[in-house]
Amino acid sequence: MQRLESDTAPQVRESLGKYALRLRERLGLSQKEVAEIAGIHAQSYGKIERDRTDSLNHKTKQGLSSALKIPSDYLDAVCRGMVMTTNQGIRFCPKCWQSGTLPDSLWLHSRAKYCYECGTQLRERCVSCNEQITSFKHRFCPYCGTPYQIPHLLPNEKR
Ligand SMILES: [Zn+2]
Ligand SMILES: [Zn+2]
């Protein structure tokens, strides 16, 4: 089963500090150790976990993502207040979403059914095998190989 990312992805309403703490504990590292691997000051790292920091510079982000073993996109998402609801699956617009990027938080809203941009019905399951989509790392459904995105040439979705 390829569901590795789900517990490392940011959760709904998780702050940067809580997220960092959760990942750090998951790896069994001390604050000092994470700071060292990330190449940042232990004090600066402490601030992050206490939510005294709301934006990270590029270098810190790179360092943290390698120390906490997560894609730096995830940190971006948390900093921007974007959430990924991995335990409920992820919802996205198959037309507007670009593979390799995080979905827009408006699509993830629990009551959102249609894309705010283009009105397409949002998708949270594979159209072919109906497996829940839990990761945006893949362009295709890991179970059946169906692409998550609607090819732009097709005027309408089949269902
Ligand atoms: Zn759309
Ligand atoms: Zn599938």
Side-chain angles (χ1 to χ4, degrees), residues 7-138:
D7 63 329
T8 58
Q11 314 229 309
V12 188
R13 279 186 277 280
E14 194 167 38
S15 68
L16 175 62
K18 289 216 181 72
Y19 182 48
L21 172 70
R22 181 165 65 83
L23 291 172
R24 181 171 64 76
E25 287 182 337
R26 186 175 164 273
L27 296 167
L29 297 170
S30 69
Q31 287 197 1
K32 204 170 153 241
E33 285 168 320
V34 170
E36 250 164 50
I37 304 168
I40 57 177
H41 220 272
Q43 233 173 357
S44 319
Y45 180 74
K47 265 193 186 170
I48 294 173
E49 276 196 13
R50 289 195 308 276
D51 276 323
R52 297 284 178 81
T53 312
D54 48 10
S55 66
L56 302 171
N57 66 34
H58 184 70
K59 213 179 124 217
T60 308
K61 218 182 290 166
Q62 293 298 313
L64 270 187
S65 72
S66 69
L68 298 172
K69 305 204 189 328
I70 45 158
S72 61
D73 276 4
Y74 284 3
L75 290 169
D76 275 340
V78 182
C79 292
R80 285 199 302 250
M82 229 189 216
V83 288
M84 297 184 74
T85 56
T86 43
N87 36 12
Q88 303 155 15
I90 319 173
R91 210 179 296 119
F92 67 102
C93 171
K95 278 193 185 164
C96 302
W97 172 69
Q98 306 211 327
S99 51
T101 62
L102 285 171
D104 196 295
S105 55
L106 289 171
W107 297 330
L108 298 175
H109 192 277
S110 58
R111 274 152 57 196
K113 284 202 172 73
Y114 301 94
C115 175
Y116 65 97
E117 271 285 320
C118 71
T120 303
Q121 191 168 13
L122 298 178
R123 201 177 264 189
E124 54 191 330
R125 291 176 177 277
C126 169
V127 278
S128 164
C129 69
N130 214 33
E131 263 301 327
Q132 219 175 40
I133 296 165
T134 54
S135 167
F136 278 104
K137 275 173 104 174
H138 311 291

